Amino acid sequence: MDTSIRRNTIRWNTETISIVIDFSDSAPARISEIALATRRAGLDDRTVVERLQPLVEVMVLGDGHALSNTRFSHTGVGARLRYREHSVSTAGDGRNRLSIVQFDEQTNLAVTSLFEAFDGVAAVQTSTTVTNEGENPQIVQMVSSFATGAFLARGEKMADVSLLRGRSEWCGESRWAWIELHGPDGLPEINTTLHDHDARGTLTTVSKSTWSSGEYLPTGVLENRETGRALAWQIEHNGAWRWEVDGRRDAENAVSLVVSGPTDIDHQWNTSIGAGGHFTSVPVSFAVSDAGYEGAIAGLTAQRRAMRRRSVPDAHMPVIFNDYMNALMGDPTTEKLLPLIDAAAAVGAEYFCVDAGWYDDGGNWWPSVGEWKPSTVRFPDGGLERVLSYIRQKGMQPGLWLEPEVVGVKSPMAGALPPEAFIQRFGERVVEHDRYLLDFRHPATIAHLDRVVDHLVIDEGARYFKLDYNVTPGSGTDLDALSAGEGLLDHNRAHLAWLDGIIARHPNVIFENCASGAMRMDYAMMSRLDLQSTSDQQDYRLYATIAAAAPASLVPEQAANWSYPQPNESDEAIAFNMVNGLAGRLYLSGFLDGMNEHQLALVSHGVDVHKDIRADVAASEPFWPLGLPGWYDDTVVLGLRSAENTYLAVWSRDDGQQSIELTLPSLAAAGESIEVSTLYPVTLGDWHPTWNAGSSLLTVTPASAGPSARLFRLAARA
């Protein structure tokens, strides 16, 4: 890694990525180029384009925009910042760091941009720290984590650029769609040259409150369809965020990207930075590629693997059985659980999680959460301890569902904890769907939840927690905060600190992330937790789209896709369910205890396949031969590519038997040596996979009409 400064230019080069930043006495620092290291030789002063988008945007009350609008690519502070110094360092964990300090004389704010890159990973994590070097406090309303205009090169056009953005909602997660920047939902060309004025509009994406992926995914991609150049980013925050794509007048068709955490205009977020005080923005990672959106997502996949915690018990991706989905649905009892435990063990599950309701004596598990003491009514003979012991006797590790961030309105803890331990507005507790929400800034909250987790691990023997989160507090809490958004951000960060604490104390426990499915699927959470529930969707046919799209947001080994085969289903429906799980992290449920031997064998075979390929899945890159799936697509395909094998999950959801053709250019070099095999299921109808080496084309034909799915493996013959 090297850094040089020449002609007011900083060139930061790692093993895999190069960033060029220019600055002057009359302009702020700006990213001029982001490129893969393979293009480094071409980045000289003749090819680097001068950009107008500042490296940092900061909105300060009493200062506002340099150009009046509601976007953040024209803030007053951002335009006035001037370079002060920069430094380079290398950390012991393999991270290379670049720090750039700028200063605004009008507000006396010093702004530090931190870039961090892992060795061998073509991605960068960045954040911004604002320090008040003056005597008067400054009210800050927005701080960018990442801002760049370095996407289009000379001669390239905005008309060739598309934005890939993902919608998300309960049971409808990961719905990706393309937006052409010059299309009807994009940015109009208003002839800024004639007006001698930048445009004021923006293509903005915002997520509110604490469901960081409850409306939109915190990941986006810009792709130039003509050149294949792509820039992908992800916001690594468990709360509110915003990113925007703007048109700038660097050239005829310039594009800017500004990414931030919460803002005043979107989230009621403001913070006061006093003399000598500072504020640091939420982290953002970005990756670049010359191989289109799939290449950029591959860069983010490598970044996610580099930054995530690796726990010992989850290292081999054990098979989890959870009693909830399309099974007990929050009504566990000893009588219902014991036969399910037998069946789960018989098909090869390695963990068994008792989901919601294990603490409830009143028959309604939803408003009674919060105390987390095992029910005596549901487990009358030997208590919950008997059930957990039985799980261990069957060779599995026991797990429990927790929703630690809430207290039900009927829970004893609603009156036992101090009022300040709850999120509140104007002195009144926030109530959402019969729940209060705990404020993790308060020590009583932390002490209570530490006692709960420690007891369940040490005394009850839990080795797995499904951490759920089913309600949100709106804009936040104004208790001991300048604004509700500030209180919420501090709560978000305190929640992460609590997670760090329980994980450190219990390294032999697996922690699952869930929020009504995938409503909080971000890498603030997933850099810490082991796996992510990708949805609450109960229709296995609809789940195919979610399972296929999830690896755009997660490493495949963290994408826990429900597989809930039922005894009243056809063999093809059972296989479809299992392929959903095999497309990432197999996560079992369903009334397996009601199945016959043939059905159990079909499920057991799927579990065996997962165990055979899970090491490959944990090292794979996702790709989509038919593009990222649409919600209503009849055919859905996900590819996972490892060093030696390519896996294809193929779902057919229509009533026909039309052949499916998949072009796989990455296998062209292997040619005739490619061998195609059906991994799952092997006992049902043959889809007759046929490989055409000349055109790198795989053709498969569903064996029967109606929904069905198969998992294929393609590999070079030994």
Side-chain angles (χ1 to χ4, degrees):
M1 189 272 297
D2 68 90
T3 302
S4 59
I5 181 167
R6 184 176 75 253
R7 300 179 186 174
N8 293 335
T9 298
I10 301 169
R11 297 171 181 273
W12 189 52
N13 299 321
T14 73
E15 293 177 353
T16 52
I17 201 165
S18 294
I19 298 178
V20 180
I21 299 171
D22 65 60
F23 60 91
S24 71
D25 293 339
S26 59
R30 301 162 295 194
I31 298 177
S32 295
E33 187 68 45
I34 307 170
L36 296 174
T38 52
R39 295 180 56 213
R40 184 178 301 156
L43 298 182
D44 57 30
D45 292 335
R46 294 167 297 175
T47 58
V48 172
V49 180
E50 183 179 2
R51 314 286 183 174
L52 291 183
Q53 174 57 52
L55 175 63
V56 178
E57 299 283 7
V58 179
M59 180 75 78
V60 173
L61 186 64
D63 183 63
H65 292 85
L67 172 67
S68 177
N69 54 59
T70 57
R71 67 188 196 181
F72 287 117
S73 56
H74 286 279
T75 62
V77 174
R80 292 192 305 269
L81 287 170
R82 296 297 181 265
Y83 171 87
R84 174 187 281 176
E85 62 184 359
H86 80 281
S87 62
V88 178
S89 61
T90 302
D93 61 358
R95 295 196 197 202
N96 304 295
R97 292 191 173 101
L98 168 65
S99 176
I100 301 173
V101 182
Q102 300 182 83
F103 184 70
D104 173 31
E105 291 185 351
Q106 182 169 314
T107 59
N108 289 311
L109 293 178
V111 176
T112 302
S113 299
L114 178 63
F115 297 86
E116 296 184 297
F118 288 100
D119 288 338
V121 177
V124 176
Q125 186 185 67
T126 180
S127 61
T128 304
T129 298
V130 180
T131 302
N132 186 356
E133 296 186 357
E135 297 180 357
N136 299 318
Q138 296 287 348
I139 306 297
V140 177
Q141 300 173 293
M142 174 269 183
V143 178
S144 68
S145 298
F146 177 49
T148 181
F151 184 68
L152 289 174
R154 283 193 178 95
E156 296 179 0
K157 298 179 180 179
M158 188 186 291
D160 296 328
V161 178
S162 293
L163 168 68
L164 181 61
R165 181 175 71 174
R167 296 294 300 266
S168 192
E169 64 179 88
W170 181 66
C171 294
E173 293 89 343
S174 300
R175 302 183 338 267
W176 293 89
W178 288 100
I179 301 173
E180 295 182 8
L181 292 196
H182 272 187
D185 293 322
L187 300 169
E189 171 52 58
I190 64 170
N191 197 342
T192 56
T193 302
L194 175 65
H195 293 89
D196 193 26
H197 197 294
D198 252 319
R200 301 177 191 266
T202 178
L203 182 52
T204 301
T205 303
V206 173
S207 184
K208 299 183 286 291
S209 197
T210 48
W211 276 355
S212 58
S213 54
E215 296 176 79
Y216 291 95
L217 298 173
T219 302
V221 185
L222 284 171
E223 181 186 76
N224 187 323
R225 299 184 303 276
E226 292 298 312
T227 66
R229 178 168 169 78
L231 170 67
W233 61 92
Q234 64 179 23
I235 303 171
E236 294 148 6
H237 177 48
N238 56 329
W241 52 262
R242 168 188 172 119
W243 52 261
E244 64 182 56
V245 176
D246 303 332
R248 293 293 300 254
R249 296 180 62 224
D250 305 49
E252 183 180 355
N253 292 288
V255 178
S256 287
L257 172 69
V258 181
V259 187
S260 73
T263 70
D264 173 55
I265 195 170
D266 300 299
H267 312 105
Q268 301 182 40
W269 179 85
N270 301 271
T271 192
S272 178
I273 306 179
H278 68 274
F279 168 80
T280 299
S281 69
V282 304
V284 169
S285 288
F286 63 89
V288 293
S289 174
D290 294 323
Y293 78 95
E294 288 185 339
I297 290 175
L300 285 184
T301 299
Q303 176 77 345
R304 292 161 182 164
R305 286 201 174 107
M307 67 189 296
R308 66 172 290 228
R309 179 186 66 93
R310 304 298 182 97
S311 71
V312 172
D314 196 55
H316 68 289
M317 296 168 59
V319 177
I320 315 298
F321 185 95
N322 181 297
D323 70 29
Y324 186 86
M325 189 63 71
N326 288 352
L328 301 188
M329 300 296 289
D331 189 25
T333 65
T334 301
E335 181 181 8
K336 295 176 181 178
L337 282 168
L338 295 186
L340 263 185
I341 293 167
D342 288 336
V347 299
E350 294 159 294
Y351 281 70
F352 189 104
C353 181
V354 180
D355 207 277
W358 59 267
Y359 47 82
D360 175 63
D361 278 339
N364 187 358
W365 63 269
W366 182 267
S368 60
V369 296
E371 192 175 25
W372 306 114
K373 293 182 178 179
S375 169
T376 56
V377 174
R378 294 178 179 276
F379 313 108
D381 183 10
L384 179 64
E385 182 180 351
R386 176 191 172 192
V387 173
L388 301 185
S389 178
Y390 192 70
I391 292 170
R392 286 188 287 269
Q393 291 174 28
K394 289 295 179 175
M396 298 180 291
Q397 292 293 331
L400 293 170
W401 178 91
L402 277 181
E403 194 171 359
E405 296 162 73
V406 301
V407 169
V409 295
K410 294 184 178 181
S411 170
M413 296 309 298
L417 291 170
E420 297 80 14
F422 295 89
I423 288 178
Q424 54 191 269
R425 298 288 305 281
F426 310 111
E428 185 168 342
R429 292 186 195 182
V430 173
V431 180
E432 185 69 16
H433 199 170
D434 294 331
R435 270 97 174 275
Y436 302 116
L437 296 104
L438 291 172
D439 188 335
F440 277 66
R441 299 175 301 166
H442 198 278
T445 294
I446 302 304
H448 163 59
L449 293 176
D450 280 350
R451 284 193 298 269
V452 167
V453 172
D454 291 350
H455 165 70
L456 294 175
V457 173
I458 297 169
D459 301 323
E460 300 288 352
R463 291 297 179 266
Y464 182 98
F465 286 111
K466 176 179 177 177
L467 301 179
D468 210 342
Y469 184 58
N470 290 300
V471 295
T472 68
S475 56
T477 177
D478 55 14
L479 180 67
D480 298 327
L482 178 66
S483 62
E486 181 188 49
L488 188 63
L489 177 59
D490 290 345
H491 158 79
N492 294 146
R493 288 173 163 171
H495 174 233
L496 295 178
W498 175 74
L499 287 175
D500 290 339
I502 63 169
I503 290 168
R505 289 201 309 280
H506 303 296
N508 293 320
V509 174
I510 294 176
F511 293 91
E512 173 193 341
N513 188 39
C514 182
S516 287
M519 298 293 93
R520 189 169 59 184
M521 182 170 60
D522 60 71
Y523 267 83
M525 300 295 289
M526 296 316 299
S527 62
R528 293 168 166 84
L529 305 184
D530 295 291
L531 64 158
Q532 167 73 56
S533 173
T534 55
S535 186
D536 275 357
Q537 177 55 249
Q538 293 179 251
D539 186 327
Y540 67 89
R541 295 160 298 186
L542 295 177
Y543 212 120
T545 302
I546 297 167
S553 299
L554 297 163
V555 292
E557 62 268 27
Q558 288 184 305
N561 301 320
W562 285 100
S563 176
Y564 31 68
Q566 302 293 348
N568 61 348
E569 292 177 339
S570 68
D571 287 355
E572 286 290 0
I574 291 173
F576 196 113
N577 263 289
M578 296 303 293
V579 172
N580 286 347
L582 292 170
R585 179 70 178 266
L586 180 61
Y587 196 58
L588 273 175
S589 191
F591 286 113
L592 303 187
D593 53 323
M595 287 186 167
N596 59 39
E597 290 187 8
H598 168 76
Q599 292 172 319
L600 284 173
L602 196 55
V603 174
S604 181
H605 175 48
V607 173
D608 289 342
V609 169
H610 169 76
K611 292 177 180 179
D612 287 342
I613 70 173
R614 56 189 172 187
D616 260 1
V617 171
S620 66
E621 288 182 356
F623 67 100
W624 296 269
L626 298 181
L628 279 159
W631 189 251
Y632 301 103
D633 287 354
D634 289 333
T635 303
V636 175
V637 182
L638 168 67
L640 296 175
R641 184 168 42 232
S642 68
E644 297 182 355
N645 298 298
T646 295
Y647 300 95
L648 289 175
V650 184
W651 296 266
S652 176
R653 300 195 291 188
D654 63 10
D655 292 328
Q657 292 179 256
Q658 292 82 12
S659 293
I660 300 167
E661 295 184 342
L662 305 173
T663 302
L664 305 172
S666 64
L667 298 178
E672 297 288 350
S673 70
I674 290 295
E675 182 176 21
V676 186
S677 57
T678 302
L679 286 187
Y680 183 84
V682 296
T683 58
L684 302 185
D686 190 355
W687 282 28
H688 301 289
T690 304
W691 174 250
N692 185 320
S695 57
S696 302
L697 186 72
L698 175 68
T699 303
V700 297
T701 305
S704 59
S708 57
R710 296 292 185 270
L711 179 69
F712 301 99
R713 176 166 56 198
L714 292 84
R717 294 185 182 90

